[in-house]
Amino acid sequence: MQNDRVVWYNPRPVTTDACRLCGNTQHNHLILKVAHWASALGVMDVAECGSCKSAWFPAMERFLVPYPDTQIILQDPDFPYYIYHYLEIVGGLDWKVSLLERLPFTPFHSVLEIGCNAGVTLDYCRTMWNADTVIGLEPSAYGVMGSRLLEVPILPQYLHEASSLQGKLFDFIYATEVLEHVADPLILLQEIKRSLTPNGILLLTTPRAGALNLQTPPGELLAALSPGAHYFLLSPEKLADLASQAGFAWCHIEPFGMTQVCVLADHPVTLANHVWATPRIRDYYQRKTSQTVADARVLLGHWLNYHTYTCQMGLPVEATVITEIETALQTLFDIDLAQPQGLLERVAATDSLVSLGKVMPYALPYYLYWRGGDYLPVAELLVLQGLKVDFQNLFVYDALLEKIREAQPTHATTLYQRFQFQLKRFSNCFVRHNHD
């Protein structure tokens, strides 16, 4: 598949550009071109190596965009809403926990996460594994703000810059979607190897070159390629070779959707075959709701996620949970779900991810979906407006929209009839947006 941002070469031109990962110059081909995330920088080629079968961006250095200054971002009063968005609906626990809990984590007394973003997964390890030491590394402003909101230790540095970690060894290090962001992945793997205890384990994920094919939807291709941010997509063969060069004696690699999971150690590691993450994530949020949380909105996010994961398990929700959520909605957002017209009017006036997050928590449509009944048309309106104002960042609403529409009662309730005009108007806006 292709669209105007992802175009496949047919036929595939030969390129003499050396593979960034193995140096091969023979039988390399350009396979597609993709628009840089910063439109002013134009289009980038993606090449496939004829030897190691990895993919890379030729002349990547010409397309690099430096990270914005952290202090400038932190001074932006709108920036916290991007953190709330991350914590409330896209923190990644649903897939990260399913990987982490396959590991023999009981002996992990010290944990280091490289590229921890706002730190929610690190906080999960601290909360659920009772690790004595957890530290995150995140050079972007997400780490600074996440550290404040979740009160988890995050250093705003890269591993080679973190002088406070020199000489410290960790039982477990993990780095999800990090390796592809560095110019020399072998150096990073060697740095990590030096930071592990003799029995330590490394878990990493990185986009896989095999995901680049015509059957992959353009949106997923863009996520895997992240043009302008990723240097390459590794083949499993090359990833195993890099692990061996870095000194790891044992390596396990398996595909995981668009990415690949890699577990490295100096000894064989027994992995659980499958872990149902939902109960563990529910337990995490239940624990978080019982702890003191300085930021009231973060606490509301914990309650909303606890509600969602409880419902996903088919368990009854305690009445006190509903009370906590709806009291916080009233206090923080002046939202009265018994009279949703005011909420809908404020949401209809939003035009961005930030403005939407100022009038409601991003997880609110999930809460309304699980409440069901007359809450469903309200949830549908909120989701439609979210997709209209920021389809890229609120892409998770797309799947929720399908669930909401499947759950709508066959007969029109009074509330549904009351908002029918708004539903039609929002739906039309969404259709036009998708066609633009």
Side-chain angles (χ1 to χ4, degrees):
M1 296 179 66
Q2 64 184 33
N3 63 8
D4 58 343
R5 296 193 63 192
V6 179
V7 179
W8 291 88
Y9 279 108
N10 186 18
R12 305 192 312 171
V14 173
T15 176
T16 56
D17 193 85
C19 173
R20 167 166 225 106
L21 295 151
C22 71
N24 171 62
T25 58
Q26 302 298 310
H27 309 294
N28 297 340
H29 292 84
L30 300 180
I31 58 173
L32 61 84
K33 50 188 175 181
V34 59
H36 195 288
W37 67 264
S39 57
L41 292 180
V43 174
M44 306 175 66
D45 280 325
V46 180
E48 181 182 74
C49 178
S51 177
C52 75
K53 302 303 178 184
S54 297
W56 82 97
F57 291 94
M60 174 63 184
E61 283 69 18
R62 292 197 297 111
F63 295 95
L64 285 175
V65 177
Y67 279 121
D69 184 87
T70 296
Q71 294 308 313
I72 293 176
I73 293 177
L74 291 174
Q75 292 169 13
D76 182 352
D78 289 341
F79 180 66
Y81 292 95
Y82 291 94
I83 307 296
Y84 292 135
H85 164 254
Y86 183 82
L87 295 179
E88 290 169 8
I89 62 172
V90 295
L93 281 183
D94 54 341
W95 67 272
K96 291 181 182 179
V97 169
S98 67
L99 299 178
L100 293 173
E101 299 264 335
R102 292 181 62 191
L103 299 167
F105 57 83
T106 304
F108 295 166
H109 299 293
S110 54
V111 176
L112 174 67
E113 181 178 8
I114 299 173
C116 66
N117 201 291
V120 63
T121 314
L122 192 67
D123 187 53
Y124 174 89
C125 294
R126 176 178 65 176
T127 303
M128 299 300 292
W129 291 355
N130 297 316
D132 300 323
T133 301
V134 296
I135 298 175
L137 292 172
E138 177 54 61
S140 76
Y142 274 80
V144 177
M145 186 64 70
S147 181
R148 293 175 188 172
L149 294 178
L150 292 178
E151 300 177 76
V152 63
I154 299 174
L155 304 177
Q157 297 169 313
Y158 295 97
L159 181 57
H160 67 274
E161 298 173 336
S163 58
S164 63
L165 298 185
Q166 297 303 311
K168 291 185 181 294
L169 300 179
F170 295 86
D171 299 318
F172 176 54
I173 299 178
Y174 65 107
T176 54
E177 310 302 284
V178 170
L179 199 62
E180 65 279 3
H181 288 271
V182 300
D184 192 331
L186 178 58
I187 290 177
L188 177 57
L189 289 174
Q190 290 170 334
E191 289 176 344
I192 294 173
K193 181 71 168 60
R194 290 192 293 269
S195 299
L196 281 169
T197 61
N199 291 319
I201 296 173
L202 165 64
L203 181 146
L204 62 86
T205 68
T206 186
R208 59 188 182 91
L212 301 182
N213 59 69
L214 289 167
Q215 286 68 48
T216 304
E220 294 183 27
L221 282 172
L222 284 169
L225 291 165
S226 291
H230 291 176
Y231 283 90
F232 50 78
L233 281 76
L234 286 162
S235 67
E237 295 82 6
K238 187 58 188 176
L239 179 53
D241 176 56
L242 290 172
S244 176
Q245 290 184 59
F248 289 97
W250 185 87
C251 173
H252 170 82
I253 299 173
E254 63 182 66
F256 187 71
M258 295 291 293
T259 191
Q260 55 196 329
V261 180
C262 180
V263 181
L264 301 176
D266 281 339
H267 55 88
V269 176
T270 301
L271 302 175
N273 290 329
H274 173 73
V275 174
W276 187 29
T278 300
R280 293 287 284 171
I281 300 174
R282 175 184 180 269
D283 288 349
Y284 164 72
Y285 282 116
Q286 185 176 37
R287 294 189 190 189
K288 297 303 293 184
T289 59
S290 65
Q291 297 174 359
T292 301
V293 179
D295 188 286
R297 175 153 181 179
V298 171
L299 179 58
L300 173 57
H302 294 333
W303 280 113
L304 289 167
N305 279 308
Y306 172 66
H307 180 274
T308 291
Y309 284 98
T310 299
C311 292
Q312 285 182 2
M313 292 183 65
L315 298 175
V317 177
E318 306 95 312
T320 53
V321 175
I322 304 298
T323 300
E324 290 283 353
I325 290 173
E326 299 198 359
T327 299
L329 288 173
Q330 183 79 61
T331 303
L332 298 178
F333 295 93
D334 192 26
I335 293 174
D336 180 0
L337 293 178
Q339 301 291 330
Q341 184 66 44
L343 166 65
L344 293 174
E345 290 173 354
R346 292 194 296 274
V347 168
T350 62
D351 60 2
S352 68
L353 179 75
V354 169
S355 61
L356 183 69
K358 289 180 178 180
V359 299
M360 73 172 208
Y362 299 103
L364 181 58
Y366 291 88
Y367 174 72
L368 296 175
Y369 164 72
W370 287 110
R371 292 298 305 275
D374 283 346
Y375 292 99
L376 290 172
V378 180
E380 185 174 351
L381 284 163
L382 301 184
V383 166
L384 285 168
Q385 183 67 5
L387 291 169
K388 175 188 172 186
V389 301
D390 195 333
F391 180 81
Q392 184 170 348
N393 281 307
L394 293 170
F395 67 94
V396 293
Y397 280 0
D398 195 33
L400 179 60
L401 180 61
E402 292 184 17
K403 292 182 178 180
I404 292 170
R405 288 178 168 171
E406 289 173 1
Q408 291 280 15
T410 54
H411 63 284
T413 64
T414 302
L415 189 62
Y416 188 88
Q417 290 172 326
R418 183 175 162 193
F419 297 132
Q420 258 188 332
F421 174 74
Q422 285 172 300
L423 278 167
K424 183 177 180 181
R425 178 167 61 86
F426 279 27
S427 295
N428 288 341
C429 289
F430 177 55
V431 169
R432 287 200 301 273
H433 173 78
N434 275 346
H435 287 171
D436 289 344

